[in-house]
Amino acid sequence: MSILPYLLLILLEIHSSKACKGCLSIDEYNIDKIIPKFKASLIKFDIAYPYGDKHDEFVKFADEVTKVKELIVGEVGVKDYGDKSNFELAKTYGINTKEDLPKVKLFLGDLNEEPIPFINEFTVENFRDFVRDNTNLYLGLSGCVETFDKLAKEFMLSQDKNNKYNQVLEVAESVVGKEKVSAKIYLQFMKKVIDNGVGFVQQEQLRLNKIIKEGKINSKKKEELGERLNVLHSFKLAKDEL
């Protein structure tokens, strides 16, 4: 059988592949040296030179969490031709053919425990939700403040949201600089939830995403709305908290 189709496939993948900033290259030789050293590891099993929308979303998430020390984002490049690199490793985690790729799994520090499979659409927001729902890691997104992220969650769980709002207002009065700007956004969202109900969170997310995706705003405004979206995400509760 001619090897030409395989060579063409490799060249196409190399040409199309987008580097994953902040990703570690995981293979059958180093996985047991890396995964146990971190509290959580989000690993994508994919073709050797990944490309496309799914890969692009994974790359964006990896870039977003580069400063989260207890989380690593990595890729396992799987080949079903030639030396079949990492093919057996992929099979260990239920990935038997190229058609099964890409697959993302969350390891929680122990290779003896079954990793948690990611089964949602490949988007930055869904990766973010997945890690947050299955760990207690703080991801520290742009525009967010850890103290107010925790207060936002407490606010959403509170039966007396007006009282909680007043408590947060007191905390906000003591912060300065960029944190004070962020605190105002948290307070604005809390007020909106009080006035419009918890459904405001999802409605506002859809509205902001639509504005950003339409692309009719300048880069500064897009960044500003992106930070508002990050803050708004702190108001989302996990399914078992609803």
Side-chain angles (χ1 to χ4, degrees), residues 16-123:
S16 304
S17 179
K18 184 175 182 179
C20 187
K21 179 182 176 183
C23 283
L24 287 180
S25 178
I26 307 293
D27 59 34
E28 52 205 338
Y29 303 107
N30 66 18
I31 188 169
D32 60 341
K33 298 176 183 178
I34 295 174
I35 302 298
K37 294 184 182 298
F38 293 87
K39 190 167 186 177
S41 304
L42 190 71
I43 308 298
K44 177 164 71 73
F45 292 78
D46 208 340
I47 58 176
Y49 303 100
Y51 59 93
D53 293 341
K54 290 183 176 181
H55 178 63
D56 290 347
E57 289 297 308
F58 191 77
V59 168
K60 290 175 187 176
F61 178 73
D63 184 39
E64 180 178 275
V65 298
T66 51
K67 294 182 180 179
V68 183
K69 294 181 179 179
E70 293 181 294
L71 170 70
I72 63 162
V73 177
E75 290 184 308
V76 175
V78 182
K79 292 182 181 178
D80 63 351
Y81 54 85
D83 60 5
K84 293 194 173 183
S85 299
N86 299 317
F87 187 72
E88 291 302 318
L89 176 61
K91 286 176 68 176
T92 300
Y93 296 105
I95 301 162
N96 298 306
T97 69
K98 189 173 181 179
E99 284 65 42
D100 293 329
L101 301 172
K103 281 286 189 296
V104 172
K105 295 178 181 287
L106 180 67
F107 294 79
L108 299 178
D110 188 348
L111 282 174
N112 293 318
E113 292 186 9
E114 190 70 21
I116 303 169
F118 176 80
I119 57 175
N120 212 333
E121 181 185 355
F122 278 49
T123 68

Side-chain angles (χ1 to χ4, degrees), residues 116-175:
I116 303 169
F118 176 80
I119 57 175
N120 212 333
E121 181 185 355
F122 278 49
T123 68
V124 173
E125 184 176 353
N126 285 339
F127 288 133
R128 195 185 295 151
D129 283 344
F130 181 59
V131 172
R132 281 178 162 173
D133 289 349
N134 291 286
T135 73
N136 59 1
L137 295 179
Y138 179 67
L139 300 186
L141 305 177
S142 177
C144 294
V145 180
E146 185 170 6
T147 298
F148 288 96
D149 277 353
K150 292 177 179 178
L151 289 170
K153 184 172 183 178
E154 291 175 9
F155 169 82
M156 293 299 286
L157 291 170
S158 175
Q159 296 297 315
D160 188 348
K161 288 183 170 48
N162 280 299
N163 182 54
K164 195 64 187 179
Y165 173 86
N166 290 329
Q167 291 177 17
V168 178
L169 189 59
E170 290 182 12
V171 176
E173 290 174 354
S174 65
V175 299

